[in-house]
Amino acid sequence: MTVLKIVQYGEPVLRAETKEVPKVSAKIQKLVEDMFDTMYANNGVGLAAPQIGEAKRIFVLDVSTDDKPAPQMVFINPVIVKKEGAMISWEGCLSFPNVFIDVKRYASVTVRAKDIKGRTFVMTPEPESLLCRAIQHEMDHLNGILFVDHVIDRFGADALLKENNLPMIDPSKILSEPDLDQVLQCSI
Ligand code: NI
């Protein structure tokens, strides 16, 4: 069991570009195992490779709850092939200890990726489910995007970041999301 150090918000690798995994080798499988060990040791639901300093297109998820077990899920070279609707999602991130904020997300996504054995799969989780939101959150990590870039209340989030000795939100990174705004304004 190997628990790796989790990169904190402010470190450049969280904003770096990531590379596709050319082959799901034994080395990659070991990395995935270490990612699960690191995620569980920190009570996380998901972890992306940049969060352990690896600029690779890999993330792992385990959305199990006490009354509803879920399998370990590995996403290698994932692509979101469909996205629909919008929702507000309350999220945290292992790279932002103790910071939980509301962010904008799609209500439904379909993802295509390779599993730990290199087999391609396509998945459409239940709309608005934790799995659906977690896939979007982790997918972002592979593109140098962080959950705070989807913030709804920037100044509220800044106060929380400051309390936790993390850098403030970078306004130039806040995403313009007219498709989400349009739906959310109708439903609020
Ligand atoms: Ni995260």
Side-chain angles (χ1 to χ4, degrees), residues 46-48 51 92-96 137-138 141 146-147:
L47 187 74
Q51 292 182 277
C93 177
L94 292 177
S95 296
F96 294 71
H137 177 117
E138 302 307 333
H141 274 298
L146 300 169
F147 75 131

Side-chain angles (χ1 to χ4, degrees), residues 152-170:
I152 292 165
D153 172 9
R154 174 183 154 197
F155 299 104
D158 269 342
L160 266 177
L161 289 166
K162 199 174 166 197
E163 254 174 50
N164 290 285
N165 299 313
L166 290 165
M168 309 252 284
I169 286 190
D170 178 348

